[in-house]
Amino acid sequence: MFVGLALTSGSVFAQSTDSSSSDTISPALDRVSLWLGGYYANTSTTIGAGLNQYDVHGNLNLQHDLGFPQHEVVPRLRFDFLLGDSQGFSFDYYRVEQSRTGSAGAAFDFDGNTYNANASITGRLNFDFGSAAYKWWFGHSSDVFGVGLGAGYYHIFAGIKGQASLNGNFLGEASASASENAWAPELELGWRHAFTDNIRMYFNAQGLKKNGDLGGHIYDGALGVEWFPWKNVGFGAEYDYTRISVHDRKEYYHDDVALDLDGPSVYLRFRF
């Protein structure tokens, strides 16, 4: 939804600004900017669950306990366009998918059940995040600083399924999962510097926080460079760090998910 709206709106506003007065925007900014790529992320995912009225809680790390790969390529899409010379919209979307069936190296407790060592256990994580923000850019020289206010939407599913026992009694197959989605306010910060028309450097940061029984936070930061060997097409490289923590408190139980991603990114860049 974000991408379709952005592409349509970006085309309209780009045409209107091209037909108006000459450009007065900073060389560090573009009228319309599209990023297609992803990053090779070092990943750590921990899911937890428990009962509110009893001392029953368990945590499971998908990489350590189930042998999930620690590195994966996470696709990412960004889109920005200006309204005038110093204000505009910014859109961001990425998706994390992890699934694996393996054997636990040791017995562990989770959601009131004991999952047996050497038993076949399946873990799965799906996470989608999209955001839209209105940004103000300050400065018209080679350096600009940006502040954005908007909203982010996330959907997360995490769960395990395997052979389990309770109080020493074999239960057969048991499962536990959490599936949540929510909107939350978001703050974005940015800095961009143009060394030349073809070489630029930037820093992006965004944070989302939601309080309440269903809440959590998402923080993301990236430092990168851009190189445009052609006028409208180029490449970007950056280092990203993302921290995601989501919890859900029900009347009788609670669950939570913590996801850390960090690593280098590469992008195919388009600007107009």
Side-chain angles (χ1 to χ4, degrees):
M1 179 180 68
F2 288 145
V3 176
L5 175 61
L7 292 174
T8 303
S9 303
S11 175
V12 172
F13 286 114
Q15 292 174 6
S16 63
T17 53
D18 288 344
S19 61
S20 60
S21 60
S22 60
D23 284 352
T24 58
I25 67 172
S26 164
L29 298 176
D30 302 311
R31 291 289 182 190
V32 180
S33 182
L34 178 64
W35 313 60
L36 299 174
Y39 66 101
Y40 184 64
N42 179 53
T43 307
S44 177
T45 309
T46 301
I47 59 177
L51 301 177
N52 296 335
Q53 298 180 357
Y54 303 94
D55 187 19
V56 176
H57 185 83
N59 292 311
L60 170 70
N61 185 276
L62 300 185
Q63 285 72 32
H64 180 268
D65 295 313
L66 293 187
F68 272 52
Q70 291 188 340
H71 293 88
E72 68 172 294
V73 177
V74 177
R76 192 158 192 170
L77 169 68
R78 296 176 185 153
F79 184 78
D80 306 288
F81 64 88
L82 293 179
L83 303 176
D85 298 329
S86 59
Q87 300 180 38
F89 284 95
S90 176
F91 300 87
D92 192 9
Y93 174 79
Y94 60 90
R95 176 178 178 86
V96 178
E97 290 185 290
Q98 298 177 335
S99 180
R100 182 178 175 87
T101 299
S103 298
F108 60 90
D109 295 326
F110 185 77
D111 197 23
N113 295 320
T114 298
Y115 288 81
N116 302 312
N118 301 318
S120 177
I121 298 174
T122 298
R124 179 184 166 197
L125 171 73
N126 291 339
F127 180 82
D128 291 271
F129 176 78
S131 68
Y134 191 84
K135 273 190 174 181
W136 293 263
W137 292 99
F138 301 94
H140 291 278
S141 62
S142 297
D143 284 279
V144 293
F145 299 88
V147 177
L149 297 176
Y153 173 83
Y154 62 84
H155 174 267
I156 190 166
F157 172 86
I160 63 169
K161 180 174 65 175
Q163 296 178 4
S165 60
L166 179 62
N167 297 327
N169 299 315
F170 180 67
L171 297 178
E173 188 173 85
S175 63
S177 65
S179 180
E180 308 297 343
N181 59 84
W183 287 90
E186 182 185 49
L187 173 66
E188 295 188 5
L189 301 174
W191 165 77
R192 300 185 185 279
H193 173 76
F195 296 100
T196 67
D197 290 340
N198 300 326
I199 300 176
R200 301 188 295 199
M201 187 175 183
Y202 61 89
F203 173 75
N204 295 324
Q206 57 183 349
L208 177 154
K209 185 173 180 62
K210 185 178 187 301
N211 297 318
D213 291 336
L214 171 59
H217 61 261
I218 300 172
Y219 303 131
D220 181 87
L223 178 66
V225 294
E226 299 174 314
W227 173 52
F228 287 88
W230 304 281
K231 179 180 179 180
N232 300 114
V233 181
F235 305 95
E238 66 184 35
Y239 193 89
D240 287 271
Y241 175 78
T242 304
R243 167 69 178 175
I244 300 164
S245 179
V246 179
H247 63 260
D248 186 17
R249 301 290 184 262
K250 302 291 188 180
E251 182 177 0
Y252 300 107
Y253 70 92
H254 56 273
D255 51 54
D256 50 80
V257 178
L259 173 61
D260 290 328
L261 304 169
D262 68 274
S265 302
V266 292
Y267 291 94
L268 180 62
R269 292 280 286 107
F270 300 92
R271 63 177 180 178
F272 305 96

